[in-house]
Amino acid sequence: MNEALQVEGLTKHFRVKRKLPGLGGSLRTLWRPSYEDKKAVDGIDLRVERGETVAFLGPNGAGKSTTIKMLTGILHPTSGQAHVLGYDPWRQRTALAYRIGAVFGQKSQLWYHLPPSDSFELMSRIYELDRAVYRQRRDLLIERFELGRYIDTPVRRLSLGERMRCEIAIAFLHRPELLFLDEPTIGLDAIVKQRIRELIFELNREEGTTVFLTSHDPGDIERLCRRAIVIDHGRVIVDEPVERLRRNVLSYKRVVVRLAEEAAELAALPGVETHREAPRVLRLMVDTAAVSMTEVLTELMARYRIEDMTMEDPPMDDVIRAIYQGGLGRREEGDA
């Protein structure tokens, strides 16, 4: 079986109390409140192959956390089915727990007043690891995640970056086949984020761990994931490779040009927005759907003496914003 996740028609409704229209409601309404169904997840279908690195994206309230809770067996769905590593997650939750790992950026699995070494020991007992295998694995993770300096320091004294390294390392302790990461780099500085991404990427490549990531950080998606699934209002609106999303959603590139001398006036090029960032520095936004990069570069070299030039894709936060806007537009048109 090559699929880590197989989900069909997964739906979750919550029964929520209706809000009273005001203080003028009758006593009967107060003592016998009415309820309504809220669709948190609305018929999701998806497949994730073993070893894939997938970004699961959506605005707040889109249904991401509810979906993950069903896939890990915490919640029962209203309807639909799912198989995670061949298990029914809400009926075989205990057996599945031995095969998956989870890291939640704002919920710790480390004991706050104890050092990480004690949490490692506790998790080894929970997962019933052979003692020799456990010690070898623990030592490898301590070395790989560079935890030696604070492995015996109480968690309450660790910085957020140090704690998150420990959180992710301990999630890999039992060699999970599938790792759920929910905002793993939230609140971290750029250097720590980059190191954590490198470590997750290395373990995915070396051990074939499937990674299912939710994040609002474009860097997490760009550096860790090859595929993006975007949901909104509990529905999947996009499921494509990350690179294809870049091409399909935003058809522009950024070009920064450093000139050998200051230009008296800016060139007007079709499909190109040109801005002066400094006397000899121009920033161009090129719509590649309207004009080819070859045409733009040829025209630039004909008009200016160029000292240096850099070209880059749009940042992922722009891509995600465009996905939300475009996806919502498509959905609303289909519902009309």
Side-chain angles (χ1 to χ4, degrees), residues 167-226:
E167 295 276 4
I168 295 172
I170 207 169
F172 277 104
L173 183 64
H174 60 296
R175 292 182 180 271
E177 298 169 53
L178 170 60
L179 183 63
F180 292 95
L181 297 173
D182 187 10
E183 301 286 355
T185 64
I186 189 170
L188 305 181
D189 63 55
I191 295 175
V192 174
K193 283 183 181 182
Q194 180 59 26
R195 183 56 183 150
I196 285 178
R197 290 165 184 153
E198 290 171 356
L199 291 165
I200 295 171
F201 180 80
E202 288 171 7
L203 287 167
N204 162 259
R205 182 181 57 195
E206 294 171 8
E207 301 184 357
T209 307
T210 306
V211 176
F212 195 78
L213 166 77
T214 71
S215 179
H216 285 90
D217 190 318
D220 291 345
I221 301 158
E222 286 181 303
R223 292 168 177 79
L224 286 176
C225 300
R226 295 183 179 179

Side-chain angles (χ1 to χ4, degrees), residues 155-176:
V155 171
R156 67 178 184 275
R157 296 181 183 173
L158 300 181
S159 69
L160 180 59
E162 291 167 343
R163 181 176 68 79
M164 286 309 301
R165 285 195 189 196
C166 294
E167 295 276 4
I168 295 172
I170 207 169
F172 277 104
L173 183 64
H174 60 296
R175 292 182 180 271

Side-chain angles (χ1 to χ4, degrees), residues 240-274:
E240 291 192 3
V242 170
E243 286 304 315
R244 189 183 301 167
L245 284 178
R246 285 179 172 278
R247 296 193 301 270
N248 292 350
V249 177
L250 290 181
S251 60
Y252 71 80
K253 288 187 178 291
R254 294 182 175 185
V255 180
V256 178
V257 181
R258 181 176 294 278
L259 306 176
E261 56 195 19
E262 184 176 353
E265 60 182 38
L266 303 183
L269 303 173
V272 179
E273 292 183 19
T274 306

Side-chain angles (χ1 to χ4, degrees), residues 50-71:
R50 289 177 183 263
E52 268 196 285
T53 51
V54 177
F56 191 54
L57 311 175
N60 291 331
K64 303 188 301 296
S65 295
T66 302
T67 300
I68 289 177
K69 287 176 181 177
M70 287 189 284
L71 295 178

